[in-house]
Amino acid sequence: RVAREIKKIKPEFRPNSLAYMNCTMPPPIQIEDNIIVGYVPSSSSLKQDYLGDTNAKAWKWMCEWNDRCREWTNWEWWGCAAQYPRPVHVVIRKNLELLSKMKLFRFKTEWIHKEGAEYTSGIEYWIFTKLLWNVDQDVNALRDEYLNKTFRAAAPEMKKFYDIVRDTWYADSAPSFSYDNPSRLTGYYLLSDPKTESAAFAALSNAVAAADHPVSKLMAEKILETMTGFAEKARKSMAR
């Protein structure tokens, strides 16, 4: 009723309403066409895209909001918990492809750039921003381009590290959410197997040694420093 009255007085004004937390389920009615709903699929896991079994409810409600609204905004948390380099670019590419076919007014995602995330997940943020321009790009080619441009001579060792992170991540079906703890993820994915731990940190150390450009060396050093800090915290927690 409020939206209808607003339309009479200021037809160009678009009230915004946030569908978040306990308000994410769409109502069984059409939404007034001047309202822009901001849907936050906060319960979705970044281990799977929207079509995955884990995200069935979030996807169902997203489709219902799309049907009931003239336009709507999608508000994601893809870059939260980015201190650990979660290889989310594969899921993001598929999700962006799905979103591109919907009646979106605007798209948003939170993305952390502190506590080491600006180094460890710089690769994920770079791929994400590239996909915003063209969702049909090959994410593996983008990944290689980032590694080669950023790390130069150290790229092969950094690729070994990120391959380990990606392979251990997708070998496990446990869901991942925006509030995941980086130390816990480090312990779970990299420290549970001594061979994996050794290979991952050897690759980072070798990357620092191989870096032939000051910026490349700084990036490799910061990633090694950040991951070492997470590993130390994880070991203390695992020893309890």
Side-chain angles (χ1 to χ4, degrees), residues 15-182:
N16 282 246
S17 178
L18 191 62
Y20 177 50
M21 297 297 285
N22 296 327
C23 302
T24 50
M25 186 173 70
I29 58 173
Q30 287 299 117
I31 307 300
E32 291 294 323
D33 63 7
N34 61 332
I35 296 177
I36 299 174
V37 172
Y39 174 57
V40 186
S42 53
S43 63
S44 60
S45 166
L46 266 180
K47 269 290 185 71
Q48 297 181 330
D49 58 50
Y50 292 142
L51 302 182
D53 294 341
T54 308
N55 300 325
K57 183 170 71 172
W59 172 246
K60 177 178 181 292
W61 288 353
M62 188 180 297
C63 292
E64 290 178 6
W65 282 117
N66 190 66
D67 290 340
R68 287 167 171 72
C69 295
R70 171 186 158 195
E71 293 176 313
W72 60 285
T73 294
N74 191 59
W75 191 325
E76 278 289 356
W77 291 352
W78 292 342
C80 296
Q83 298 97 325
Y84 184 84
R86 303 185 302 171
V88 294
H89 57 270
V90 176
V91 168
I92 287 176
R93 196 212 69 79
K94 179 61 177 178
N95 285 350
L96 286 175
E97 180 184 13
L98 294 167
L99 288 171
S100 69
K101 301 171 184 176
M102 292 187 160
K103 298 181 293 185
L104 281 188
F105 173 77
R106 183 178 288 121
F107 167 81
K108 303 177 181 179
T109 184
E110 296 183 22
W111 206 292
I112 188 171
H113 294 292
K114 60 182 181 179
E115 300 171 356
E118 66 270 40
Y119 304 111
T120 58
S121 287
I123 186 171
E124 297 298 320
Y125 186 69
W126 188 85
I127 294 173
F128 162 65
T129 57
K130 287 287 187 179
L131 289 172
L132 288 176
W133 291 96
N134 178 6
V135 74
D136 295 323
Q137 294 178 86
D138 183 340
V139 290
N140 291 320
L142 289 174
R143 184 174 181 264
D144 289 343
E145 182 182 352
Y146 178 89
L147 291 171
N148 289 325
K149 286 182 174 179
T150 303
F151 297 105
R152 302 189 183 204
E157 293 297 329
M158 291 304 302
K159 186 176 186 303
K160 289 180 185 178
F161 169 72
Y162 281 109
D163 283 351
I164 292 169
V165 169
R166 179 194 59 197
D167 294 347
T168 54
W169 178 262
Y170 285 110
D172 184 272
S173 61
S176 179
F177 301 103
S178 59
Y179 48 80
D180 277 349
N181 181 282

